[in-house]
Amino acid sequence: MIVDAPHPVPELELEPAPQPAPLLSEPSGGVSAVIDDQARLDAAIEQLAAESGPVAVDAERASGYRYSQRAYLVQLRRGASPAVMIDPIADLDLGGLREVLDGPEWVLHAASQDLACLAELGLRPRTLFDTELGARLAGYPRVGLAAVAESRLGLRLAKEHSAVDWSIRPLPEPWLRYAALDVELLVELRAVVEADLARQGKLDWAHEEFAAVVAAAPAPPRTDPWRRTSGIHAVRNRRNLAVARALWYARDDLARRRDIAPGRILPDSAIVEASLRLPATTAELAALKVFSGPANRRLATTWLGAIDEARSLADADLPAPPVAEGPPPVRAWPDRDPIAAARLVRTRGVVAAIAEAHDLPLENLVTPDTVRRLTWRPPAELTPSSVAGVLLAHGARSWQVSLVSAAMAGALAEPAVDEAAPEVTNG
């Protein structure tokens, strides 16, 4: 018997593992020293004025460390010149800087995060290009600066210093390198994002969004900001709410005077716990976990004074229970208004389909809050025009209205036959 020789097993050709994108660790021109005197600022202004084209802009705050949201570093880059880094808390006349920045387009990533602190310095753009917002509209799966730079430019940016305390002086050199890299690629990235938006037919949409960011008015002060204390929903009695309010304002006053983030003085969880337990003595206060630390033991008089003040209030001066603004929680819709619950399911469905068809994040097409409000109480006469009016009143831009108003009007209309209220998920 002849036995065939075994066939050789072919070697599998494995695809090589993808190599990580090269790390951009040094800005072009190196890391410039922070500008904290007028002569060097004037020279930097001349440098910016001599270049042409858009200006890459970024700012660093000390969120989580300081009470204020002021800028503690401003980074600018234009043309081929190295990044300019300015100390905005130094005694500097920024008039010349305002002039040179009043005209060229600003390029920022997540502009709404920085515009308020820049406006405090008198720095405001006439026009801007937001690479983060543009990336959202273009349907990028990840829109952080490092992720967009890697996917579109093939470069990695180190992000290890994103949450440091930028208020300290002097700023360490590695932090300054990170800050300079934040504006290193913005103008180049702008060109790539713009090309993607143009190819997808979304560039006009982006221009509307950018103009809305520039025109947005500063947010008004919140009414009863203490009601946003995390976990306060567990405090229901009006007297206990008064204690929470008193502790919140005592903490806020102390944080403002010390320029420290309120949560670093007393976390929200401690306010809620004290509001529920109502300690009356130093020993009872110290028995609560957070208040047992040395810093809060030194502040025991402050905290007990706030609690005692709330205890002594007349009933008429106690805070009212919170009044919900807008529609009730979505989970309550099937019981409170089954027809509205059915409307919401239909409306969410058509909006989600439009967003998917245009490769848009749902929240950048119509905000979930707008969908809920419009669905809970739709216009009496349901037409694309009436729906468009409501959308515009809630801040929607014309491109958004043109995409969704007709479809939403159709979804909001009552069906010809009765339908059971479907299950509605929260959101």
Side-chain angles (χ1 to χ4, degrees), residues 374 377-383 386-387 390:
L374 181 55
R377 288 291 179 263
E381 182 181 356
L382 269 175
T383 65
S386 66
V387 171
V390 175

Side-chain angles (χ1 to χ4, degrees), residues 43-263:
I45 291 170
E46 290 184 10
Q47 168 191 319
L48 291 167
E51 296 284 357
S52 60
V55 182
V57 181
D58 191 39
E60 307 294 348
R61 301 179 305 281
S63 301
Y65 295 93
R66 296 291 181 178
Y67 181 86
S68 74
Q69 289 298 306
R70 67 180 300 181
Y72 284 94
L73 187 70
V74 175
Q75 308 100 280
L76 306 166
R77 188 166 188 266
R78 192 180 193 190
S81 298
V84 171
M85 293 189 287
I86 301 168
D87 183 353
I89 66 174
D91 185 17
L92 299 173
D93 180 358
L94 300 180
L97 185 64
R98 295 183 190 109
E99 290 182 11
V100 79
L101 294 180
D102 182 26
E105 178 189 74
W106 292 17
V107 183
L108 305 96
H109 196 82
S112 59
Q113 296 182 13
D114 291 336
L115 289 183
C117 69
L118 292 166
E120 288 183 3
L121 302 172
L123 305 175
R124 297 176 177 84
R126 289 182 181 268
T127 60
L128 65 79
F129 191 104
D130 186 334
T131 50
E132 190 262 357
L133 182 51
R136 288 182 180 278
L137 297 178
Y140 293 6
R142 296 186 298 154
V143 296
L145 178 58
V148 176
E150 184 169 358
S151 66
R152 309 309 296 162
L153 301 179
L155 292 169
R156 286 186 297 132
L157 288 174
K159 300 299 289 181
E160 65 268 23
H161 301 304
S162 59
V164 298
D165 182 2
W166 291 95
S167 69
I168 71 170
R169 294 296 184 270
L171 288 167
E173 194 273 345
W175 298 13
L176 296 177
R177 185 185 305 115
Y178 159 87
L181 287 172
D182 264 358
V183 293
E184 178 77 10
L185 301 175
L186 279 183
V187 174
E188 185 178 356
L189 198 59
R190 175 210 182 283
V192 174
V193 175
E194 182 181 52
D196 285 343
L197 289 167
R199 178 175 51 81
Q200 297 175 23
K202 299 176 180 177
L203 189 54
D204 287 342
W205 302 356
H207 288 156
E208 275 196 66
E209 293 298 299
F210 302 157
V213 173
V214 172
R222 293 187 182 276
T223 302
D224 292 342
W226 61 272
R227 291 188 184 273
R228 294 181 62 83
T229 304
S230 179
I232 201 169
H233 61 275
V235 184
R236 302 185 181 278
N237 181 278
R238 292 179 64 198
R239 184 71 58 183
N240 299 79
L241 281 173
V243 172
R245 179 178 64 182
L247 285 170
W248 191 97
Y249 279 110
R251 180 187 68 172
D252 191 70
D253 179 66
L254 191 60
R256 181 186 291 106
R257 288 189 282 110
R258 294 184 177 182
D259 193 17
I260 299 175

